[in-house]
Amino acid sequence: MTSPTVLVVGAGISGLACARALRDAGATVRVVDRGRAPGGRMSGRRVDGRAIDLGASYFTAEPDSRFEAVVHDWLARGLAREWTDTFRTAGPDGIRDSRSGPMRFASPTGLRDLVIDLAEGLDVVAGETVEEVTPATGDTASVSVSFTGSTGAEGFDHVVLAMPDPQARRLLAPGSRALDVLHGADGWHPTIAVALTFAEHEWASDLHGAFVNDSPKLSFVADDGDRRGDGAPVLVAHSSAELAHAHLDDPDGAIAPITEAVSRMLALTAAPVDAFAHRWTFARPAAPHDDPFLLDDRVGVCGDAWGGKASVAAAWTSGDALGRAIARASAFPG
């Protein structure tokens, strides 16, 4: 009796959590991603050997959750660090007050390294693009997958799409029942992340991060040196959805207005010595699904849009739960 074969499309934290749950249950799992390395929206960019987080800003972990055990393992191995339990709130004209909450965790080497750690021991193929996924149509039929550059389709017992809804919709064949559940592009908010490097640290040492309210340009600003723990004079600002929509075709065009907004908010006198932008077209769902994942016709969808609240923890939990659900529904050796 052979183990079921599962294709996971998307090597972000959700897809790899799903793949690990399936592998641990005895499935044969293959992970593909169109990018050059695992990471998804926990990716960043290296500048002079230093990683700058441009996607997720931090993560939390619910006490006694399955994800908390993963976080404790990362902490024990030095892959993650406690960052702060206090953020500032701000408006367009400056800092307003502080807000305490759960401990926010970060990574001293960049959040992508946590995703790469999850990929350890898995069959992950980078730079491979899926063209279309046709769900199973009967009890014995397999899920059909067409890959870019391939002349034929390949069959899998299950296929997991670990990605935002609009991207999953593009891959599903016409008539797929999942299309009735998944949101389109208008159900997601974009953001543009702008990294600003300064010659020296001019802002308050207790900034940590700031949620920005009532701003047409900003939504969040993080002290990346404080987040990483190396004190580098780097800020990462996430735009408002409004500003991102205006610059989706020209992310670099958002650098000047975001720089001006950050400088005004933090009363900075020096201009950054370097700046670059990264576009996230589907940064967060406008209305996350209440269900932890979707599984229909042996095609699953998981990610931070599932589970009622978009977050890194929700993405991992969604993928892990979907992997275990597929395992329960499948025939395994022995």
Side-chain angles (χ1 to χ4, degrees), residues 51-305:
I52 299 177
D53 286 318
L54 298 173
S57 297
Y58 57 85
F59 59 95
T60 61
E62 288 288 334
D64 302 319
S65 64
R66 289 175 60 85
F67 185 55
E68 184 187 47
V70 175
V71 174
H72 283 170
D73 176 63
W74 284 337
L75 291 169
R77 291 189 287 134
L79 295 175
R81 66 185 294 267
E82 292 185 345
W83 178 20
T84 182
D85 63 358
T86 303
F87 280 155
R88 312 299 292 270
T89 60
D93 296 320
I95 299 296
R96 294 174 177 172
D97 53 25
S98 297
R99 179 188 302 176
S100 295
M103 175 57 65
R104 281 84 169 189
F105 300 94
S107 171
T109 57
L111 291 177
R112 183 198 288 270
D113 279 359
L114 303 180
V115 183
I116 290 175
D117 181 66
L118 290 177
E120 185 69 28
L122 295 173
D123 178 14
V124 180
V125 182
E128 186 163 19
T129 305
V130 171
E131 290 287 341
E132 187 172 74
V133 175
T134 303
T137 56
D139 292 338
T140 59
S142 62
V143 182
S144 178
V145 179
S146 299
F147 296 90
T148 301
S150 176
T151 57
E154 191 171 347
F156 296 87
D157 293 304
H158 285 86
V159 171
V160 170
L161 304 178
M163 60 188 65
D165 289 17
Q167 293 174 331
R169 289 180 62 88
R170 292 174 189 166
L171 298 185
L172 288 167
S176 301
R177 293 193 296 184
L179 293 173
D180 296 331
V181 179
L182 301 177
H183 300 313
D186 57 353
W188 283 71
H189 296 310
T191 192
I192 294 175
V194 174
L196 304 170
T197 300
F198 294 83
E200 58 184 23
H201 202 286
E202 189 180 351
W203 52 94
S205 61
D206 62 349
L207 171 65
H208 306 308
F211 296 109
V212 187
N213 303 314
D214 308 319
S215 171
K217 299 178 181 178
L218 298 174
S219 61
F220 185 76
V221 176
D223 182 337
D224 195 62
D226 183 70
R227 176 167 58 186
R228 285 277 308 278
D230 63 1
V234 178
L235 295 170
V236 176
H238 289 254
S239 77
S240 65
E242 177 185 355
L243 185 68
H245 274 298
H247 292 280
L248 283 179
D249 294 331
D250 177 29
D252 287 348
I255 294 175
I258 287 179
T259 301
E260 186 277 331
V262 170
S263 297
R264 180 180 180 185
M265 186 185 78
L266 299 179
L268 304 179
T269 59
V273 297
D274 190 22
F276 61 84
H278 185 89
R279 174 187 60 210
W280 299 101
T281 304
F282 306 118
R284 58 188 177 87
H289 302 281
D290 290 331
D291 294 330
F293 54 80
L294 172 68
L295 182 57
D296 195 354
D297 290 336
R298 284 190 267 164
V299 172
V301 183
C302 60
D304 65 346

